[in-house]
Amino acid sequence: MSYAIQSINSSGFTQIDENSEVFQVIQTGTKPINQSYVTLPNTLPPDCLVFARPQGGRTSGTVILTGYISDFTVNGTRHLRANMKYNLACDYAVVQRCSEFAEPTSGYGINVYKSNGDLAFTSEQPMLRVIAARAVSFSNSSGAFDSGWYQGTTGSIDEAYVMLGPYIQYKYEQYQSLGENFYRYTYRNAKFDYDNHKMGTVSSSFSGDLQRGSSVYTRTNTGQKTEIMGYIV
């Protein structure tokens, strides 16, 4: 480190240094079980991100979480929703990159700057510390599934959050088998493997019958996404 300061907490995580990509937490909450989304303030800036985890975190077991952000306008009014797994209670956090955060002016606490002048940290807001991230590409042949793209140590994912957005519908198919027609949806899901201290991305699907003679095709969401995992510190 050649600039600013370095802060390491009791768990060994670097909270602040010149190279930190720090996200300030500007809102937190909990989505109840058997509810598909929470409504966020429509005044939030468009560069905000939303992270989520199973409510309270876990120390054992495996939990599957899916979710994405809906940002749309109806009759001139913006509607902003964080969609999460219906039958799972989830904690969520709305964050913004610290370098894009308004510089606090209260005169209390600590502001830390990078060598380029960007705000790296402010003690006036809790922060989400990014622990792992990966860029993924979706194609017609691959949904970038990996059941263990992050391998931690004991307790390392117990309180972790993942960014909503990459965990969406990947593919919709209408197909024929033995003269009958069917449909199938395939989704991407975050996999919290607390027993093995791993974070992964796995697929889930459901299917059903279609009217005989229905058209046969496949529609795939392709492109690039970023998967991010981190903690509020």
Side-chain angles (χ1 to χ4, degrees), residues 20-173:
S20 297
E21 181 64 88
V22 178
F23 295 89
Q24 299 297 139
V25 179
I26 59 178
Q27 180 181 334
T28 59
T30 300
K31 180 199 74 68
I33 193 171
N34 297 332
Q35 181 174 311
S36 59
Y37 65 87
V38 293
T39 300
L40 302 175
N42 62 7
T43 54
L44 287 174
D47 59 2
C48 285
L49 305 174
V50 181
F51 286 72
R53 70 176 182 185
Q55 184 180 17
R58 298 283 196 280
T59 57
S60 63
T62 299
V63 180
I64 301 298
L65 184 151
T66 188
Y68 60 94
I69 304 303
S70 300
D71 190 348
F72 57 96
T73 301
V74 177
N75 295 326
T77 300
R78 182 190 185 203
H79 298 266
L80 187 60
R81 296 173 178 174
N83 302 269
M84 288 163 266
K85 189 175 181 180
Y86 177 79
N87 60 349
L88 178 70
C90 299
D91 297 328
Y92 67 90
V94 181
V95 307
Q96 188 177 26
R97 293 180 192 273
C98 194
S99 58
E100 299 170 358
F101 204 70
E103 182 176 338
T105 57
S106 70
Y108 297 95
I110 301 173
N111 291 338
V112 177
Y113 299 87
K114 297 184 180 182
S115 55
N116 64 359
D118 286 347
L119 185 66
F121 171 81
T122 174
S123 62
E124 293 198 18
Q125 297 282 348
M127 72 177 186
L128 187 136
R129 172 66 173 165
V130 174
I131 300 302
R134 69 168 188 151
V136 296
S137 297
F138 306 161
S139 67
N140 291 330
S141 60
S142 173
F145 301 111
D146 184 339
S147 62
W149 60 266
Y150 171 78
Q151 176 65 66
T153 57
T154 301
S156 60
I157 72 163
D158 290 358
E159 298 183 1
Y161 289 73
V162 293
M163 184 180 71
L164 299 183
Y167 307 110
I168 56 173
Q169 179 186 312
Y170 162 61
K171 183 181 291 186
Y172 173 74
E173 304 165 85

